[in-house]
Amino acid sequence: ALRIEDEEIMELQNKFHVISRRYKVLEKIGEGTFSSVYKAEDLVGISNKVIKIHRSKHDITSRKKFPLVALKKIYVTSSPQRIYSELKFLYNLSGCRNIIPIVDAVRFEDQIVIVLPYCEHADYRDYYRDLPFNGIKIYMYELLSALSFIHDRGVIHRDVKPNNFLFNPATRRGVLVDFGLAEKVRDPHEHKYTCACISGGLSLSDYTDNEGKGYPKDDDRPARRANRAGTRGFRAPEVLLKCPNQTTKIDIWSAGVILLSLLARRFPFFDSNDDVDALVELTTIFGVHLMKHCAALHGLGFETNLPTLNDNSRSLSEIVFYALNIEKEANTFPEDSVAFDTLNCLSDDGSVDDSEMGVKHKVGFHLLKCLMELNYSKRYSADEALSHKFFEEFGR
Ligand code: ADP
Ligand code: MG
């Protein structure tokens, strides 16, 4: 009996004549929320032009007889607007080495397949535990370079996470993929207007009116609504708080969560079931006082009666110390693992020593703090991050 995967490949080859004429489907490589992705050979060289400008001299694909492509088969249940938007972003964002270029798109009846150059990469789960400190730097530099490019063009990716950033530790290249949730930054004048109408009763004045009085009973105001697209655990505070005027800074927060995950050798780092749980996780780190301040920025009150939460704010290095220490005590990593390079220069209050590694880590933790800044207007932009001392040796 054929495996489901083989059946799918057969179906893609046989039903889809345009595909079988141009590509030889090899295997299934990904299963996302909106698509299945297959590795294939480009039999007619349609991808040559695109791949030639894109691939690096180290790429293994360049030595293959047929160039490799990734066929992204969009689920037919996706809305035409969503598919059109993904294609448009891919098309408009070509020209950056850190963004996946589009080779082709084919349609048969209601099925759309996007053709992308195959991007050799490793699975995040296979390297986040032992990527050396310098590798973490390169990963972040590549990711922030991709974000700088799209943010310059007024595009928010909205789903920055390891699965959507294909990094190859061997070639030290990283490519941002999956523009299925991307959107254009709204015109600031436009969102003043939307703010007034979407946020309904939850305006800043309501916040001050209700201060000290707790929640209004029988609140019949419409629920606050905003774009919450993205992945649990990577959502910025303003997304969790359903702020209607979200900016490119939401991608920077997600990049910060990845840096935290790489330094703490923990994935996923945040593991909540819903947005309220996610806010609780953030409150455990930042403390109630700072979360109230952040909510107030978006015209919201922030109340909690959870006894475990208090005003204490912990530094991110303190959090990383605790996370790594748990692994050390559980003997998850070998004694000499690079995972402990970070732990070895930290003490339990999160302070970093003055050893050579310690000095490097101080810079890394400073950058992390600027990426995971609760206030989006103070949070670093991608360009500010790239100019940070952490990336000094990359000479930007
Ligand atoms: P979805 O919108 O369904 O999440 P993605 O575009 O994120 O789809 O692709 C899903 C997965 O397929 C990715 O996480 C990655 O593992 C793999 N993939 C996608 N594009 C490529 C590519 N160009 N080269 C290699 N693998 C890819
Ligand atoms: Mg994806």
Side-chain angles (χ1 to χ4, degrees):
L2 282 175
R3 289 179 306 151
I4 298 177
E5 199 185 303
D6 296 332
E7 277 178 34
E8 275 181 34
I9 292 176
M10 296 267 288
E11 192 186 329
L12 186 60
Q13 286 274 26
N14 298 339
K15 256 180 66 182
F16 227 119
H17 295 296
V18 200
I19 293 286
S20 55
R21 262 197 316 252
R22 296 182 193 166
Y23 306 101
K24 180 172 180 244
V25 187
L26 303 173
E27 58 176 319
K28 186 170 182 172
I29 48 173
E31 174 95 60
T33 337
F34 301 106
S35 69
S36 299
V37 181
Y38 304 86
K39 186 179 189 173
E41 277 179 348
D42 171 11
L43 305 173
V44 295
I46 191 165
S47 64
N48 267 341
K49 218 172 107 199
V50 180
I51 291 182
K52 217 171 271 165
I53 38 172
H54 194 69
R55 73 186 159 202
S56 78
K57 58 178 182 294
H58 309 291
D59 260 0
I60 307 159
T61 50
S62 55
R63 290 194 292 272
K64 291 260 161 64
K65 192 171 165 224
F66 294 110
L68 292 174
V69 290
L71 303 178
K72 179 167 175 171
K73 191 176 94 176
I74 312 272
Y75 295 145
V76 288
T77 45
S78 295
S79 77
Q81 282 84 351
R82 210 201 69 87
I83 302 172
Y84 173 67
S85 154
E86 177 166 3
L87 287 167
K88 198 180 58 183
F89 282 120
L90 282 169
Y91 185 76
N92 290 337
L93 293 170
S94 60
C96 170
R97 66 192 278 279
N98 301 108
I99 310 281
I100 197 79
I102 182 168
V103 167
D104 195 12
V106 263
R107 180 181 71 80
F108 177 70
E109 293 173 352
D110 56 355
Q111 180 67 70
I112 306 258
V113 173
I114 304 180
V115 185
L116 309 156
Y118 177 77
C119 182
E120 198 80 48
H121 66 283
D123 188 331
Y124 186 77
R125 285 172 197 278
D126 292 335
Y127 63 77
Y128 76 92
R129 293 182 191 85
D130 45 27
L131 189 64
F133 189 75
N134 218 38
I136 296 179
K137 240 184 217 188
I138 294 161
Y139 182 106
M140 290 305 297
Y141 190 82
E142 293 280 297
L143 174 59
L144 288 161
S145 301
L147 293 181
S148 161
F149 185 87
I150 68 166
H151 293 173
D152 264 0
R153 283 151 188 80
V155 175
I156 316 178
H157 183 279
R158 291 209 72 99
D159 201 14
V160 172
K161 58 175 175 180
N163 277 351
N164 289 337
F165 184 64
L166 311 182
F167 184 69
N168 184 341
T171 61
R172 312 167 129 210
R173 283 276 305 271
V175 176
L176 186 63
V177 299
D178 195 357
F179 288 81
L181 295 174
E183 61 175 21
K184 272 287 216 188
V185 183
R186 297 236 195 98
D187 178 332
H189 300 293
E190 184 203 343
H191 57 65
K192 256 184 215 138
Y193 173 73
T194 12
C195 217
C197 67
I198 297 187
S199 68
L202 286 163
S203 65
L204 193 59
S205 58
D206 285 316
Y207 164 70
T208 34
D209 283 352
N210 290 325
E211 201 173 21
K213 294 186 205 153
Y215 291 113
K217 289 214 171 66
D218 308 319
D219 189 348
D220 58 1
R221 294 173 298 181
R224 190 167 157 113
R225 260 189 279 166
N227 191 341
R228 287 174 45 259
T231 302
R232 244 177 13 210
F234 293 93
R235 289 196 185 116
E238 62 270 28
V239 179
L240 297 172
L241 292 166
K242 305 195 180 98
C243 169
N245 52 332
Q246 296 166 15
T247 67
T248 51
K249 298 289 182 72
I250 70 169
D251 291 341
I252 300 293
W253 176 276
S254 312
V257 175
I258 302 183
L259 178 55
L260 176 62
S261 155
L262 287 169
L263 288 169
R265 310 288 173 181
R266 189 172 276 255
F267 181 71
F269 189 89
F270 293 112
D271 200 14
S272 56
N273 286 318
D274 54 45
D275 285 0
V276 174
D277 261 9
L279 285 166
V280 171
E281 286 182 317
L282 293 186
T283 313
T284 310
I285 299 179
F286 294 96
V288 177
H289 180 73
L290 291 181
M291 291 302 288
K292 267 187 202 276
H293 194 79
C294 174
L297 286 172
H298 304 291
L300 292 171
F302 185 87
E303 299 295 332
T304 169
N305 54 9
L306 288 176
T308 46
L309 298 179
N310 54 41
D311 280 344
N312 294 347
S313 177
R314 298 182 187 285
S315 69
L316 293 163
S317 50
E318 203 179 332
I319 298 293
V320 168
F321 174 87
Y322 280 116
L324 286 170
N325 223 25
I326 292 170
E327 302 309 327
K328 189 178 183 179
E329 266 153 35
N331 286 318
T332 327
F333 300 112
E335 283 285 315
D336 60 350
S337 163
V338 293
F340 296 136
D341 285 357
T342 305
L343 185 62
N344 292 339
C345 53
L346 280 174
S347 46
D348 61 357
D349 63 352
S351 57
V352 191
D353 71 21
D354 288 322
S355 64
E356 197 185 325
M357 250 311 172
V359 174
K360 287 186 189 175
H361 274 79
K362 265 184 207 164
V363 179
F365 279 116
H366 181 267
L367 173 66
L368 177 59
K369 191 171 163 224
C370 300
L371 301 178
M372 286 186 72
E373 159 65 55
L374 292 174
N375 181 345
Y376 73 98
S377 64
K378 288 192 191 155
R379 194 178 305 148
Y380 267 14
S381 65
D383 283 333
E384 282 170 314
L386 289 168
S387 308
H388 189 271
K389 200 159 179 262
F390 190 58
F391 302 119
E392 203 172 42
E393 69 237 57
F394 300 111
R396 194 171 192 257

